[in-house]
Amino acid sequence: MVGLVFVLGPIENYERLPLSCRQPIKLDIKAVKPWLRYSFDRLWGTSADGERFAYYVERGEPTVMQFEHLENEFFASSLQKVNVDRTESIVRFCERYGFPVSSGYNGAQRLSLFRSRFKLFNTDFQPLKSEWDILASESASAAGIPLFSSAYSEDDKTLLGRRPYFLSEEARRIHLNDRSVVGAISEAEVIQTIRALQVSTALITAVAYGLENTDTWGANEVADYLCDRSHMAQNGISFFLLSNTDTLLKNTRLKSYDTLILESSEFKSIVQQGENAGFNTRESYTSTLADGLVIASNTAISFLANSLLSYRFDGTGGTPDEAEDDNGGPLAAWSHARKKTHRRPASTHSYGCLSEAIISQFGLLYDDPAEWRICDNCGRIFKKYREEKPGKVIQKTRFCKRSCANSYSKKKSQGLITE
């Protein structure tokens, strides 16, 4: 990979990621609370409107999980390995780390309220009765409209829609009076949350590397990196495109110019028409792609910042006052869509959630002064050697983990790599 960069030489100016579009947004990392992991069963239910759906119910006593249980750059390793198209992959991940819950309707608060429904002095938990109940508050309704607009790709409905949240509420309705069930969450919400975290962290990382290495990495390199499933498991980059993004990028999945020509006959036809009319189609598309990637990265990090606010809730089930001043635009729904009608006991306030821990780990690394690097063996962008323990000094290394160093040495001894 490194050799190819030098063969190609400096990238053209229109391929460079525009620093002027970048909006530095700092993730407000606070002490990461432990979270609870339960044994669970996967069940099938029928919603009030007749939809069959899969969901998980928690049982027994919990295991308390700590921030230290996540290996270095968990968001780029174990998280990216989850294949949400395979139930066994989802189950395996949740069995080990717990459930990732959405910030879109205060998922952590709702799950905590349900877990506490039989505890002393707690008011009755009432499941939300419709998808619109999720956006019932005035602030949520005003902020939520752009988020769920039709401007986004049809393929990203699982990231944008309210349905996964409502199905979690339906699962809780089914087991509302079942004392053998501690918690309940829909598989759709778990999938939605995993996908959003996979896409956002990979996108931000790739763009950050491109902005630090403008002579060797441009829009096409970033796009090709993100299209490699070993670097970002799920499709869905366009989820983080704003609705006013240039129409050239519509339904492109933010792929590189050359990749799109090979894969899309429609795009190839448009290119041919443009060239026949005398346009430099490569320059036009790639320049727009560069802008789109940085804009999408800004939106993704805003999503993570608003999610952190949403996960910080007080003893009333509401988010802290600091969230009231947040102006995250269309993504404000992820932090403001909340219900204050049900109280939860302060005894559960000491626990957070897995999603908050993942975002916090990413934020701490993102703000670390160490430079982003590309592993000489697997091509992964990283800052920390994966086998390091949290808090250790960052090592200057060409490889992201020990197995990559060993694999590279083996290839070199076999003559497959020359330096």
Side-chain angles (χ1 to χ4, degrees):
M1 171 176 275
V2 175
L4 282 176
V5 169
F6 289 111
V7 170
L8 292 171
I11 60 177
E12 299 291 340
N13 286 332
Y14 62 80
E15 294 183 350
R16 294 179 188 273
L17 299 182
L19 284 167
S20 60
C21 288
R22 189 182 195 185
Q23 297 173 1
I25 299 170
K26 185 175 177 60
L27 297 178
D28 182 16
I29 309 300
K30 297 185 178 180
V32 181
K33 294 179 182 178
W35 65 96
L36 302 178
R37 173 174 61 84
Y38 288 84
S39 298
F40 61 86
D41 297 322
R42 183 177 186 264
L43 304 175
W44 284 89
T46 303
S47 69
D49 55 10
E51 178 182 351
R52 288 278 291 169
F53 67 100
Y55 66 96
Y56 303 100
V57 293
E58 300 171 322
R59 301 186 188 277
E61 294 298 317
T63 298
V64 178
M65 301 292 291
Q66 303 285 346
F67 191 51
E68 292 72 22
H69 289 150
L70 306 182
E71 75 266 21
N72 271 345
E73 302 199 16
F74 176 89
F75 58 87
S77 52
S78 295
L79 178 68
Q80 288 293 345
K81 291 177 182 177
V82 184
N83 184 346
V84 297
D85 294 324
R86 298 178 60 188
T87 300
E88 60 269 28
S89 181
I90 301 169
V91 168
R92 193 161 52 242
F93 177 83
C94 295
E95 284 177 339
R96 184 170 182 181
Y97 300 107
F99 290 121
V101 294
S102 174
S103 60
Y105 75 126
N106 288 351
Q109 295 91 311
R110 295 296 296 171
L111 179 57
S112 179
L113 283 166
F114 182 77
R115 286 172 175 170
S116 305
R117 67 196 186 281
F118 294 124
K119 291 186 177 180
L120 192 63
F121 303 126
N122 190 42
T123 57
D124 293 336
F125 175 89
Q126 295 299 325
L128 302 179
K129 296 180 180 179
S130 73
E131 294 180 48
W132 289 104
D133 279 354
I134 294 169
L135 296 176
S137 72
E138 183 179 349
S139 60
S141 297
I145 294 172
L147 179 62
F148 304 107
S149 73
S150 59
Y152 293 92
S153 169
E154 183 73 21
D155 293 335
D156 284 336
K157 290 285 184 166
T158 52
L159 274 178
L160 296 170
R162 305 182 197 95
R163 196 65 182 174
Y165 319 149
F166 175 63
L167 293 179
S168 289
E169 295 294 310
E170 288 286 82
R172 292 159 194 161
R173 176 184 59 80
I174 293 170
H175 295 277
L176 185 60
N177 299 313
D178 186 349
R179 289 183 174 271
S180 70
V181 168
V182 179
I185 186 171
S186 70
E187 189 170 77
E189 181 178 339
V190 172
I191 288 173
Q192 181 184 63
T193 308
I194 290 174
R195 287 193 69 213
L197 293 177
Q198 286 175 329
V199 173
S200 58
T201 54
L203 169 62
I204 296 166
T205 298
V207 169
Y209 181 86
L211 290 170
E212 286 184 5
N213 298 271
T214 55
D215 290 336
T216 56
W217 258 52
N220 287 313
E221 285 75 17
V222 172
D224 286 340
Y225 179 88
L226 293 172
C227 287
D228 186 334
R229 289 184 66 87
S230 64
H231 300 144
M232 189 178 77
Q234 308 299 329
N235 289 328
I237 306 174
S238 56
F239 165 58
F240 294 105
L241 278 175
L242 298 179
S243 58
N244 60 353
T245 300
D246 195 292
T247 54
L248 269 178
L249 300 182
K250 186 177 181 181
N251 299 324
T252 64
R253 286 289 180 201
L254 298 184
K255 292 180 179 178
S256 68
Y257 180 85
D258 291 326
T259 299
L260 265 180
I261 285 181
L262 289 174
E263 295 182 359
S264 172
S265 58
E266 181 182 358
F267 183 75
K268 187 175 182 179
S269 175
I270 294 172
V271 165
Q272 189 60 58
Q273 293 174 35
E275 290 181 346
N276 291 342
F279 292 106
N280 186 335
T281 56
R282 177 183 292 273
E283 178 177 346
S284 298
Y285 174 78
T286 307
S287 177
T288 303
L289 175 65
D291 290 347
L293 284 165
V294 178
I295 290 171
S297 176
N298 292 337
T299 311
I301 202 164
S302 293
F303 157 73
L304 296 183
N306 283 323
S307 292
L308 284 181
L309 289 177
S310 177
Y311 290 133
R312 293 170 190 158
F313 50 95
D314 59 22
T316 67
T319 50
D321 291 339
E322 60 183 299
E324 297 292 343
D325 298 325
D326 177 66
N327 58 356
L331 292 167
W334 292 79
S335 60
H336 290 319
R338 58 189 182 273
K339 304 290 286 185
K340 293 185 176 180
T341 55
H342 307 298
R343 299 184 63 86
R344 53 190 282 285
S347 61
T348 61
H349 179 46
S350 58
Y351 295 109
C353 64
L354 171 62
S355 312
E356 178 188 15
I358 293 173
I359 298 172
S360 297
Q361 186 198 60
F362 174 78
L364 290 171
L365 190 79
Y366 186 75
D367 288 336
D368 195 290
E371 64 183 16
W372 294 102
R373 288 164 279 165
I374 291 183
C375 178
D376 279 2
N377 183 65
C378 69
R380 169 181 172 265
I381 298 172
F382 73 106
K383 278 190 179 183
K384 286 193 175 184
Y385 196 64
R386 282 198 205 175
E387 276 82 3
E388 283 179 346
K389 296 296 182 183
K392 269 201 166 186
V393 177
I394 297 174
Q395 300 176 12
K396 278 283 186 180
T397 173
R398 296 164 56 191
F399 308 100
C400 67
K401 60 183 185 295
R402 188 174 296 109
S403 60
C404 273
N406 293 338
S407 176
Y408 187 89
S409 296
K410 185 176 180 180
K411 292 174 186 175
K412 188 176 179 181
S413 67
Q414 294 173 342
L416 300 176
I417 296 176
T418 57
E419 295 182 340

PDB file of all heavy atoms in Angstrom, residues 146-165:
ATOM      1  N   PRO A 146     -35.714  16.829  10.247  1.00  0.00           N
ATOM      2  CA  PRO A 146     -34.661  16.659   9.233  1.00  0.00           C
ATOM      3  C   PRO A 146     -33.981  15.299   9.317  1.00  0.00           C
ATOM      4  O   PRO A 146     -33.577  14.740   8.314  1.00  0.00           O
ATOM      5  CB  PRO A 146     -33.673  17.783   9.559  1.00  0.00           C
ATOM      6  CG  PRO A 146     -34.450  18.758  10.375  1.00  0.00           C
ATOM      7  CD  PRO A 146     -35.429  17.928  11.138  1.00  0.00           C
ATOM      8  N   LEU A 147     -33.860  14.762  10.542  1.00  0.00           N
ATOM      9  CA  LEU A 147     -33.148  13.501  10.716  1.00  0.00           C
ATOM     10  C   LEU A 147     -33.824  12.363   9.969  1.00  0.00           C
ATOM     11  O   LEU A 147     -33.165  11.489   9.417  1.00  0.00           O
ATOM     12  CB  LEU A 147     -33.072  13.169  12.208  1.00  0.00           C
ATOM     13  CG  LEU A 147     -32.368  11.862  12.586  1.00  0.00           C
ATOM     14  CD1 LEU A 147     -30.917  11.900  12.148  1.00  0.00           C
ATOM     15  CD2 LEU A 147     -32.470  11.607  14.067  1.00  0.00           C
ATOM     16  N   PHE A 148     -35.129  12.384   9.916  1.00  0.00           N
ATOM     17  CA  PHE A 148     -35.855  11.286   9.294  1.00  0.00           C
ATOM     18  C   PHE A 148     -36.386  11.662   7.907  1.00  0.00           C
ATOM     19  O   PHE A 148     -37.334  11.079   7.414  1.00  0.00           O
ATOM     20  CB  PHE A 148     -37.019  10.858  10.187  1.00  0.00           C
ATOM     21  CG  PHE A 148     -36.580  10.483  11.565  1.00  0.00           C
ATOM     22  CD1 PHE A 148     -36.833  11.308  12.639  1.00  0.00           C
ATOM     23  CD2 PHE A 148     -35.887   9.303  11.787  1.00  0.00           C
ATOM     24  CE1 PHE A 148     -36.417  10.965  13.912  1.00  0.00           C
ATOM     25  CE2 PHE A 148     -35.473   8.955  13.059  1.00  0.00           C
ATOM     26  CZ  PHE A 148     -35.736   9.787  14.118  1.00  0.00           C
ATOM     27  N   SER A 149     -35.779  12.660   7.291  1.00  0.00           N
ATOM     28  CA  SER A 149     -36.273  13.133   6.004  1.00  0.00           C
ATOM     29  C   SER A 149     -35.986  12.133   4.899  1.00  0.00           C
ATOM     30  O   SER A 149     -35.151  11.258   5.019  1.00  0.00           O
ATOM     31  CB  SER A 149     -35.622  14.478   5.653  1.00  0.00           C
ATOM     32  OG  SER A 149     -34.270  14.287   5.293  1.00  0.00           O
ATOM     33  N   SER A 150     -36.672  12.303   3.788  1.00  0.00           N
ATOM     34  CA  SER A 150     -36.520  11.386   2.655  1.00  0.00           C
ATOM     35  C   SER A 150     -35.259  11.661   1.860  1.00  0.00           C
ATOM     36  O   SER A 150     -35.012  11.006   0.854  1.00  0.00           O
ATOM     37  CB  SER A 150     -37.731  11.515   1.729  1.00  0.00           C
ATOM     38  OG  SER A 150     -37.849  12.851   1.250  1.00  0.00           O
ATOM     39  N   ALA A 151     -34.462  12.653   2.289  1.00  0.00           N
ATOM     40  CA  ALA A 151     -33.252  12.995   1.538  1.00  0.00           C
ATOM     41  C   ALA A 151     -32.186  11.920   1.676  1.00  0.00           C
ATOM     42  O   ALA A 151     -31.238  11.894   0.915  1.00  0.00           O
ATOM     43  CB  ALA A 151     -32.701  14.338   2.027  1.00  0.00           C
ATOM     44  N   TYR A 152     -32.328  11.054   2.672  1.00  0.00           N
ATOM     45  CA  TYR A 152     -31.313  10.043   2.890  1.00  0.00           C
ATOM     46  C   TYR A 152     -31.573   8.800   2.035  1.00  0.00           C
ATOM     47  O   TYR A 152     -32.667   8.561   1.566  1.00  0.00           O
ATOM     48  CB  TYR A 152     -31.274   9.648   4.371  1.00  0.00           C
ATOM     49  CG  TYR A 152     -30.786  10.764   5.256  1.00  0.00           C
ATOM     50  CD1 TYR A 152     -31.675  11.650   5.845  1.00  0.00           C
ATOM     51  CD2 TYR A 152     -29.428  10.949   5.475  1.00  0.00           C
ATOM     52  CE1 TYR A 152     -31.230  12.676   6.642  1.00  0.00           C
ATOM     53  CE2 TYR A 152     -28.970  11.975   6.289  1.00  0.00           C
ATOM     54  CZ  TYR A 152     -29.871  12.834   6.869  1.00  0.00           C
ATOM     55  OH  TYR A 152     -29.436  13.859   7.661  1.00  0.00           O
ATOM     56  N   SER A 153     -30.511   8.016   1.865  1.00  0.00           N
ATOM     57  CA  SER A 153     -30.591   6.827   1.021  1.00  0.00           C
ATOM     58  C   SER A 153     -31.602   5.830   1.566  1.00  0.00           C
ATOM     59  O   SER A 153     -31.697   5.604   2.763  1.00  0.00           O
ATOM     60  CB  SER A 153     -29.208   6.166   0.944  1.00  0.00           C
ATOM     61  OG  SER A 153     -29.300   4.896   0.364  1.00  0.00           O
ATOM     62  N   GLU A 154     -32.333   5.224   0.671  1.00  0.00           N
ATOM     63  CA  GLU A 154     -33.329   4.211   1.052  1.00  0.00           C
ATOM     64  C   GLU A 154     -32.671   3.064   1.802  1.00  0.00           C
ATOM     65  O   GLU A 154     -33.247   2.474   2.707  1.00  0.00           O
ATOM     66  CB  GLU A 154     -34.013   3.682  -0.215  1.00  0.00           C
ATOM     67  CG  GLU A 154     -35.131   2.674   0.050  1.00  0.00           C
ATOM     68  CD  GLU A 154     -36.374   3.326   0.621  1.00  0.00           C
ATOM     69  OE1 GLU A 154     -36.547   4.538   0.448  1.00  0.00           O
ATOM     70  OE2 GLU A 154     -37.170   2.611   1.253  1.00  0.00           O
ATOM     71  N   ASP A 155     -31.419   2.731   1.441  1.00  0.00           N
ATOM     72  CA  ASP A 155     -30.725   1.614   2.065  1.00  0.00           C
ATOM     73  C   ASP A 155     -30.385   1.879   3.514  1.00  0.00           C
ATOM     74  O   ASP A 155     -30.048   0.970   4.250  1.00  0.00           O
ATOM     75  CB  ASP A 155     -29.434   1.301   1.296  1.00  0.00           C
ATOM     76  CG  ASP A 155     -29.720   0.774  -0.100  1.00  0.00           C
ATOM     77  OD1 ASP A 155     -30.818   0.228  -0.289  1.00  0.00           O
ATOM     78  OD2 ASP A 155     -28.874   0.934  -0.985  1.00  0.00           O
ATOM     79  N   ASP A 156     -30.436   3.133   3.948  1.00  0.00           N
ATOM     80  CA  ASP A 156     -30.039   3.473   5.302  1.00  0.00           C
ATOM     81  C   ASP A 156     -31.224   3.626   6.254  1.00  0.00           C
ATOM     82  O   ASP A 156     -31.096   4.191   7.324  1.00  0.00           O
ATOM     83  CB  ASP A 156     -29.216   4.758   5.301  1.00  0.00           C
ATOM     84  CG  ASP A 156     -27.799   4.522   4.802  1.00  0.00           C
ATOM     85  OD1 ASP A 156     -27.323   3.390   4.892  1.00  0.00           O
ATOM     86  OD2 ASP A 156     -27.206   5.471   4.310  1.00  0.00           O
ATOM     87  N   LYS A 157     -32.371   3.112   5.864  1.00  0.00           N
ATOM     88  CA  LYS A 157     -33.556   3.238   6.714  1.00  0.00           C
ATOM     89  C   LYS A 157     -33.319   2.628   8.096  1.00  0.00           C
ATOM     90  O   LYS A 157     -33.851   3.114   9.095  1.00  0.00           O
ATOM     91  CB  LYS A 157     -34.748   2.551   6.056  1.00  0.00           C
ATOM     92  CG  LYS A 157     -35.253   3.289   4.814  1.00  0.00           C
ATOM     93  CD  LYS A 157     -36.032   4.526   5.170  1.00  0.00           C
ATOM     94  CE  LYS A 157     -36.600   5.162   3.913  1.00  0.00           C
ATOM     95  NZ  LYS A 157     -37.612   6.145   4.169  1.00  0.00           N
ATOM     96  N   THR A 158     -32.531   1.540   8.152  1.00  0.00           N
ATOM     97  CA  THR A 158     -32.307   0.904   9.447  1.00  0.00           C
ATOM     98  C   THR A 158     -31.481   1.791  10.362  1.00  0.00           C
ATOM     99  O   THR A 158     -31.488   1.614  11.573  1.00  0.00           O
ATOM    100  CB  THR A 158     -31.596  -0.447   9.271  1.00  0.00           C
ATOM    101  OG1 THR A 158     -30.417  -0.250   8.475  1.00  0.00           O
ATOM    102  CG2 THR A 158     -32.496  -1.450   8.609  1.00  0.00           C
ATOM    103  N   LEU A 159     -30.742   2.744   9.793  1.00  0.00           N
ATOM    104  CA  LEU A 159     -30.002   3.678  10.626  1.00  0.00           C
ATOM    105  C   LEU A 159     -30.853   4.880  11.030  1.00  0.00           C
ATOM    106  O   LEU A 159     -30.647   5.464  12.075  1.00  0.00           O
ATOM    107  CB  LEU A 159     -28.766   4.195   9.863  1.00  0.00           C
ATOM    108  CG  LEU A 159     -27.497   3.342   9.940  1.00  0.00           C
ATOM    109  CD1 LEU A 159     -26.410   3.972   9.086  1.00  0.00           C
ATOM    110  CD2 LEU A 159     -27.024   3.186  11.364  1.00  0.00           C
ATOM    111  N   LEU A 160     -31.813   5.233  10.196  1.00  0.00           N
ATOM    112  CA  LEU A 160     -32.515   6.494  10.397  1.00  0.00           C
ATOM    113  C   LEU A 160     -33.897   6.359  10.999  1.00  0.00           C
ATOM    114  O   LEU A 160     -34.395   7.279  11.622  1.00  0.00           O
ATOM    115  CB  LEU A 160     -32.641   7.222   9.053  1.00  0.00           C
ATOM    116  CG  LEU A 160     -31.314   7.650   8.427  1.00  0.00           C
ATOM    117  CD1 LEU A 160     -31.534   8.137   7.009  1.00  0.00           C
ATOM    118  CD2 LEU A 160     -30.686   8.735   9.262  1.00  0.00           C
ATOM    119  N   GLY A 161     -34.553   5.241  10.794  1.00  0.00           N
ATOM    120  CA  GLY A 161     -35.949   5.140  11.176  1.00  0.00           C
ATOM    121  C   GLY A 161     -36.169   5.003  12.666  1.00  0.00           C
ATOM    122  O   GLY A 161     -35.280   4.651  13.427  1.00  0.00           O
ATOM    123  N   ARG A 162     -37.398   5.256  13.087  1.00  0.00           N
ATOM    124  CA  ARG A 162     -37.775   5.112  14.491  1.00  0.00           C
ATOM    125  C   ARG A 162     -38.186   3.682  14.821  1.00  0.00           C
ATOM    126  O   ARG A 162     -38.339   3.339  15.981  1.00  0.00           O
ATOM    127  CB  ARG A 162     -38.947   6.034  14.818  1.00  0.00           C
ATOM    128  CG  ARG A 162     -38.714   7.481  14.497  1.00  0.00           C
ATOM    129  CD  ARG A 162     -39.926   8.299  14.911  1.00  0.00           C
ATOM    130  NE  ARG A 162     -39.907   9.609  14.274  1.00  0.00           N
ATOM    131  CZ  ARG A 162     -40.538   9.898  13.154  1.00  0.00           C
ATOM    132  NH1 ARG A 162     -41.257   8.976  12.556  1.00  0.00           N
ATOM    133  NH2 ARG A 162     -40.471  11.108  12.648  1.00  0.00           N
ATOM    134  N   ARG A 163     -38.410   2.864  13.807  1.00  0.00           N
ATOM    135  CA  ARG A 163     -38.977   1.538  14.035  1.00  0.00           C
ATOM    136  C   ARG A 163     -38.179   0.690  15.039  1.00  0.00           C
ATOM    137  O   ARG A 163     -38.780   0.036  15.903  1.00  0.00           O
ATOM    138  CB  ARG A 163     -39.095   0.797  12.703  1.00  0.00           C
ATOM    139  CG  ARG A 163     -40.010  -0.429  12.753  1.00  0.00           C
ATOM    140  CD  ARG A 163     -41.447  -0.010  13.019  1.00  0.00           C
ATOM    141  NE  ARG A 163     -42.346  -1.155  13.119  1.00  0.00           N
ATOM    142  CZ  ARG A 163     -43.625  -1.043  13.458  1.00  0.00           C
ATOM    143  NH1 ARG A 163     -44.143   0.139  13.703  1.00  0.00           N
ATOM    144  NH2 ARG A 163     -44.390  -2.115  13.535  1.00  0.00           N
ATOM    145  N   PRO A 164     -36.843   0.653  14.958  1.00  0.00           N
ATOM    146  CA  PRO A 164     -36.093  -0.166  15.923  1.00  0.00           C
ATOM    147  C   PRO A 164     -36.371   0.209  17.368  1.00  0.00           C
ATOM    148  O   PRO A 164     -36.465  -0.664  18.239  1.00  0.00           O
ATOM    149  CB  PRO A 164     -34.630   0.096  15.546  1.00  0.00           C
ATOM    150  CG  PRO A 164     -34.682   0.420  14.102  1.00  0.00           C
ATOM    151  CD  PRO A 164     -35.943   1.222  13.928  1.00  0.00           C
ATOM    152  N   TYR A 165     -36.529   1.530  17.631  1.00  0.00           N
ATOM    153  CA  TYR A 165     -36.808   1.958  19.000  1.00  0.00           C
ATOM    154  C   TYR A 165     -38.194   1.486  19.437  1.00  0.00           C
ATOM    155  O   TYR A 165     -38.391   0.999  20.555  1.00  0.00           O
ATOM    156  CB  TYR A 165     -36.762   3.489  19.130  1.00  0.00           C
ATOM    157  CG  TYR A 165     -35.666   4.181  18.381  1.00  0.00           C
ATOM    158  CD1 TYR A 165     -35.851   5.462  17.880  1.00  0.00           C
ATOM    159  CD2 TYR A 165     -34.427   3.576  18.172  1.00  0.00           C
ATOM    160  CE1 TYR A 165     -34.844   6.116  17.199  1.00  0.00           C
ATOM    161  CE2 TYR A 165     -33.415   4.223  17.486  1.00  0.00           C
ATOM    162  CZ  TYR A 165     -33.627   5.497  16.999  1.00  0.00           C
ATOM    163  OH  TYR A 165     -32.643   6.147  16.316  1.00  0.00           O
TER     164      TYR A 165
END
